[in-house]
Amino acid sequence: MTPLQQPPSIAGLLARRTGWGRSDAVSRILAAAAAPGVLSMAGGIPAPDSFPVARLAEATDRLFAGQAVRALQYAPTDGIAPMREVIAARASETGAAVGPDRVMVTAGSQQGLDLVAQTLIDEGDEVALDDPSYLGAVQVFRRAGARLLPVPADADGMRTEVLEQRLLAGARPKLVYVVPHFHNPTGAVLSEERRRHLAALAERFGFLVVEDDPYGDLAFEGARLPSTDVHSGRVVRLMSLSKTVCPGLRVAGLVAPAELIGELVAAKQCGDLQTNTFGQYLLADLLGDPEFLPAHLAGLRTLYGGRARAMETLLRERLPWLDFERPRGGLFFWCRLTDPRVGSDALYAHALAQGVAIVPGTPFCIEEDGSRVLRLSFASLDGAQRREGVARLASAWEKALADGP
């Protein structure tokens, strides 16, 4: 009788793709933000006092009084009609006119990004993106099996002339991923000229532009630029509500070309059937009030603009070894270490030991050197916490210097 072979371990059963995009950077950021006693300058965590709690409570009361059963029931995979209408209206205000038939409601814009990758990327396909780029996007595309085509960027966003050179040299990405306003992590704003150029390249070479725009409404200065979709129909828009309303409901919008939206809905149906019905009804009520959003966004810009300026003053006074551009909007400072004796990974470790969380630059970078850059968020700390956080970071720097390389 032949002896049974040793069965494979559970690790041996894992699909290959589980290792392609593996990174614990996002989980570390969220864990640091929640750790007792730690002041987090790490994640893009909105300020708790920015949440429209009273308005959401009123909407909840109205919902239970009039539509409780609908709000507690299953809903269509692409989203309830009122929510899709609200998203379509907002998309039309900030870009090309679009109807609800091209809208899907997703469980946060991160799900939308994952659905786009699942639907369009085969193993080995190219995806072009800024370098550095949003680490959640880097993870998603790598896990989908994509070959990343990093494109350098500056204060005006992706250098589309470099992208064009690479396209002319034979690169053929299926997707080009951009964060057009107050880029995470660099804070760049994709210029109008580059939006037009990117759209022209999409039309010429046949790729899709994936525009991930959670920060577009958080400008401290200047006017919001229209979406790239005013120049091309080959654009997918990811429209987060996490930074402008609240992240906990996990409700966001996705706008896609007519030829693609059905495939994305089918992919979502396989994953979670639908997005939180109750949250959709709440947000449709809130955002359907024409007086709510303009006033709310004005308050957010005042709140975050004030915190950014206060943080800038503290950083320049207390941390002269950091170099950065003044943020024009969004939630972050992208900083470079000017003293070669300490790298961002060492500073991160010492900072966490001092009770303050930051994000070193390496997880954002593809080919760029991330060892001397880091991201700091100013959004969720009040004045006393900001001062204490910067003091702890100064102490961490001194300890890192004392430890040496």
Side-chain angles (χ1 to χ4, degrees), residues 2 13 19 28 77 80 129-130 138 145-146 184-185 189 223 267 291 301 331 337-338 340 357 363:
T2 305
L13 299 175
R28 284 193 288 113
T77 300
I80 64 169
L129 67 175
D130 306 81
V138 172
N184 178 6
V189 176
E291 297 183 359
R301 288 189 283 266
L331 303 180
L337 297 169
T338 59

Side-chain angles (χ1 to χ4, degrees), residues 250-268:
R250 306 311 299 143
V251 175
L254 180 152
V255 179
E259 305 92 327
L260 180 59
I261 191 70
E263 295 298 332
L264 292 169
V265 172
K268 179 173 171 62

Side-chain angles (χ1 to χ4, degrees), residues 65-189:
Q67 299 189 81
V69 172
R70 286 188 178 183
L72 298 173
Q73 187 56 277
Y74 283 114
T77 300
D78 56 354
I80 64 169
M83 191 67 211
R84 287 188 292 114
E85 289 165 4
V86 163
I87 293 167
R90 183 61 181 155
S92 299
E93 290 172 4
T94 56
V98 62
D101 57 316
R102 287 180 45 208
V103 171
M104 177 170 65
V105 184
T106 61
S109 60
Q110 185 71 21
Q111 185 190 47
L113 184 59
D114 186 55
L115 292 172
V116 168
Q118 286 181 41
T119 303
L120 292 166
I121 301 302
D122 289 318
E123 184 178 350
D125 286 341
E126 283 187 315
V127 171
L129 67 175
D130 306 81
D131 190 12
S133 196
Y134 167 50
L135 59 89
V138 172
Q139 252 182 288
V140 163
F141 293 135
R142 281 182 170 155
R143 190 179 180 92
R147 292 185 295 116
L148 301 186
L149 177 65
V151 181
D154 57 26
D156 290 325
M158 178 181 285
R159 292 180 54 194
T160 55
E161 81 281 4
V162 176
L163 174 63
E164 182 175 24
Q165 291 167 9
R166 294 182 180 174
L167 293 167
L168 291 171
R172 289 296 179 267
K174 274 191 176 177
L175 306 177
V176 175
Y177 172 83
V178 292
V179 180
H181 295 102
F182 319 118
H183 181 275
N184 178 6
T186 68
V189 176

Side-chain angles (χ1 to χ4, degrees), residues 211-332:
E211 207 180 60
D212 191 358
D213 195 14
Y215 311 106
D217 290 316
L218 302 181
F220 313 148
E221 54 189 60
R224 177 180 177 137
L225 295 175
S227 166
T228 309
D229 73 353
V230 301
H231 308 299
S232 170
R234 304 181 71 88
V235 178
V236 176
R237 297 184 64 182
L238 304 177
M239 303 178 65
S240 174
L241 294 168
S242 293
K243 306 302 190 289
T244 51
V245 182
C246 63
L249 292 174
R250 306 311 299 143
V251 175
L254 180 152
V255 179
E259 305 92 327
L260 180 59
I261 191 70
E263 295 298 332
L264 292 169
V265 172
K268 179 173 171 62
Q269 188 174 36
C270 292
D272 66 355
L273 299 183
Q274 61 148 111
T275 299
N276 170 13
T277 312
F278 190 80
Q280 290 187 65
Y281 273 100
L282 280 184
L283 289 171
D285 179 289
L286 198 67
L287 299 176
D289 178 355
E291 297 183 359
F292 168 74
L293 195 59
H296 179 66
L297 294 179
L300 291 183
R301 288 189 283 266
T302 298
L303 172 69
Y304 290 131
R307 291 189 176 187
R309 302 300 172 245
M311 183 75 153
E312 178 185 4
T313 299
L314 279 172
L315 294 178
R316 296 199 190 280
E317 287 177 353
R318 298 294 308 274
L319 310 180
W321 35 268
L322 280 183
D323 182 45
F324 55 86
E325 296 291 328
R326 166 180 282 197
R328 293 174 280 173
L331 303 180
F332 306 111

